[in-house]
């Protein structure tokens, strides 16, 4: 996923195919910026997508003049992606966001990014407002006390059954984590809560898919079978372009389909074991049964 800054405004994260499509339609131009997770800085979009922009040859008078949007410019990089303006777009409380932005840099791991903030706004005197801060790896819950701001952190992979309840003016986001420990924040302004919850679901789907790929590869490797981790069809590419999944005859499933079916069962089984839903003994019995029946 790529974070794009276009005309001074940060866009929602998007896949490579979407970025390239917007470049072709000139919705994104040469002086836009993209966040580089390796250097942790904004770089000109043409540096990460050089194949989508023509090379300038100012000395060649025979070349056709480029469109105004394609002319080289001297642009100033966007502000730090953790600047307050990025997180106060849907009425978040600025003082609470300030506290979080001061604390969060010391809490982030290398490569971890702050993605979204949601702040509480109770319809009553509020001496201890709470806030969610979503990163690419964890969910932080902040509570502002009388003397300092406390926080709890939840790895994304341990979050279970996130739910949002929408009222007329407010949203209530709740979930359980680990061994069923409940978490939640009430009185988040409605649109702010909806935007935060949608981003939370997006990140949960991403990390779960990554875990399935890793578990699938490790399980097959442990059985002595060489395998490439499963990748969703929309991520399969060839020369930078999506590749449509091959159609198979559903009435005559191939051996490869049987292997993939078993692999998915093994992945789900391992996730259940990691979350403590089944015992090690149950895992071994069910795993052997799957291998005997489907491989």
């Amino acid at each position: 996923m790529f974070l794009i800054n276009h005309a001074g405004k940060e866009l929602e994260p998007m896949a490579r195919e979407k970025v390239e499509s917007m470049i072709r339609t000139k919705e994104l131009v040469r002086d836009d910026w993209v966040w580089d997770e390796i250097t942790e800085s904004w770089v000109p979009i043409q540096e990460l997508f050089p194949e989508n922009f023509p090379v300038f040859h100012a000395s060649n008078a025979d070349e056709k003049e480029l469109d105004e949007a394609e002319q080289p410019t001297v642009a100033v990089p966007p502000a730090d992606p953790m600047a307050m303006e990025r997180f106060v777009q849907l009425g978040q409380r600025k003082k609470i966001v300030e506290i979080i932005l001061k604390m969060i840099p010391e809490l982030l791991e290398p490569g971890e990014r702050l993605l979204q903030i949601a702040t509480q706004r109770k319809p009553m005197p509020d001496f201890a407002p709470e806030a969610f801060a979503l990163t690419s790896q964890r969910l932080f819950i902040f509570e502002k006390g009388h003397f300092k701001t406390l926080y709890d952190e939840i790895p994304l992979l341990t979050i279970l059954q996130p739910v949002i309840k929408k009222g007329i003016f407010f949203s209530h986001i709740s979930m359980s984590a680990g061994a069923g420990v409940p978490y939640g924040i009430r009185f988040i302004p409605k649109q702010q809560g909806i935007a935060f919850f949608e981003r939370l679901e997006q990140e949960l789907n991403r990390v779960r898919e990554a875990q399935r790929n890793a578990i699938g590869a490790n399980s097959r490797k442990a059985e002595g079978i060489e395998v490439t981790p499963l990748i969703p069809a929309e991520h399969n590419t060839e020369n930078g372009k999506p590749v449509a999944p091959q159609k198979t005859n559903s009435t005559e499933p191939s051996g490869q389909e049987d292997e993939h079916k078993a692999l998915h069962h093994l992945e789900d089984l391992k996730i259940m074991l990691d979350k403590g839903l089944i015992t090690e003994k149950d895992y071994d019995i069910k795993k052997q049964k799957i291998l005997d029946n489907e491989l």
Side-chain angles (χ1 to χ4, degrees):
M1 303 296 285
F2 292 89
L3 190 64
I4 305 293
N5 187 292
H6 171 69
K9 181 180 180 181
E10 196 169 296
L11 307 181
E12 288 294 321
M14 61 185 75
R16 172 176 286 274
E17 292 79 8
K18 176 66 173 177
V19 176
E20 292 178 337
S21 173
M22 293 182 70
I23 292 174
R24 287 193 295 270
T25 58
K26 298 184 180 180
E27 295 174 81
L28 297 177
V29 295
R30 185 178 298 275
D31 55 358
D32 287 331
W33 298 82
V34 58
W35 180 254
D36 185 350
E37 293 188 355
I38 297 178
T39 62
E40 295 189 352
S41 63
W42 291 103
V43 299
I45 193 170
Q46 58 184 325
E47 289 188 14
L48 290 191
F49 296 85
E51 66 280 2
N52 293 279
F53 291 95
V55 178
F56 291 109
H57 298 288
S59 60
N60 190 344
D62 295 330
E63 284 194 355
K64 295 180 179 179
E65 292 187 2
L66 297 171
D67 293 339
E68 181 178 349
E70 292 296 327
Q71 295 293 341
T73 59
V74 178
V76 178
D80 186 321
M82 287 180 61
M84 179 178 297
E85 291 75 13
R86 176 185 173 196
F87 300 101
V88 188
Q89 299 176 355
L90 295 168
Q92 285 90 336
R93 300 182 65 168
K94 290 187 177 181
K95 290 185 177 179
I96 306 302
V97 174
E98 279 182 348
I99 293 172
I100 293 174
L101 292 184
K102 287 179 180 178
M103 293 181 64
I104 205 75
E106 298 180 0
L107 304 177
L108 297 179
E109 299 290 340
E112 185 177 13
R113 294 189 300 112
L114 178 62
L115 303 176
Q116 196 103 353
I117 292 175
T119 59
Q120 187 181 60
R121 189 179 292 273
K122 296 179 183 177
M124 60 187 76
D126 190 354
F127 297 105
E130 297 178 329
F132 280 132
L134 176 65
T135 78
S136 53
Q137 298 179 21
R138 291 172 287 177
L139 177 67
F140 289 91
I141 301 178
F142 291 87
E143 179 178 343
K144 185 175 181 296
H146 293 289
F147 302 103
K148 61 181 179 179
T149 296
L150 308 175
Y151 75 91
D152 198 359
E153 60 180 89
I154 314 172
L156 293 183
L157 279 173
T158 67
I159 294 177
L160 305 172
Q161 301 176 331
V163 175
I164 182 171
K165 294 182 179 180
K166 307 170 189 174
I168 299 177
F169 301 108
F170 299 101
S171 300
H172 175 203
I173 297 177
S174 61
M175 68 204 70
S176 60
V181 179
Y183 291 89
I185 293 183
R186 301 177 62 191
F187 300 117
I188 300 174
K190 185 174 181 180
Q191 294 305 316
Q192 184 186 137
I194 292 172
F196 185 90
F197 189 78
E198 289 176 350
R199 188 61 187 275
L200 173 63
E201 285 194 313
Q202 176 184 332
E203 291 303 306
L204 291 179
N205 291 334
R206 178 185 62 79
V207 297
R208 287 169 182 165
E209 185 63 39
Q211 186 190 47
R212 291 191 187 99
N213 287 341
I215 291 175
N218 292 337
S219 298
R220 298 291 297 281
K221 189 173 182 180
E223 299 297 329
I225 303 173
E226 199 67 32
V227 65
T228 301
L230 296 177
I231 300 176
E234 63 268 22
H235 293 167
N236 291 340
T237 60
E238 182 177 314
N239 297 326
K241 297 181 179 180
V243 177
Q246 294 183 352
K247 295 183 179 180
T248 58
N249 188 340
S250 59
T251 60
E252 298 180 3
S254 65
Q256 186 178 8
E257 289 177 320
D258 291 338
E259 291 179 3
H260 283 181
K261 181 179 178 182
L263 184 56
H264 281 298
H265 288 168
L266 290 172
E267 293 169 5
D268 293 338
L269 198 62
K270 184 63 167 59
I271 292 173
M272 293 174 68
L273 174 65
D274 292 340
K275 292 182 177 179
L277 302 177
I278 60 176
T279 65
E280 190 80 38
K281 183 178 179 180
D282 290 336
Y283 171 75
D284 292 335
I285 294 174
K286 293 179 182 295
K287 174 183 174 183
Q288 190 58 49
K289 185 176 180 180
I290 292 172
L291 295 173
D292 291 342
N293 292 341
E294 300 186 17
L295 285 182

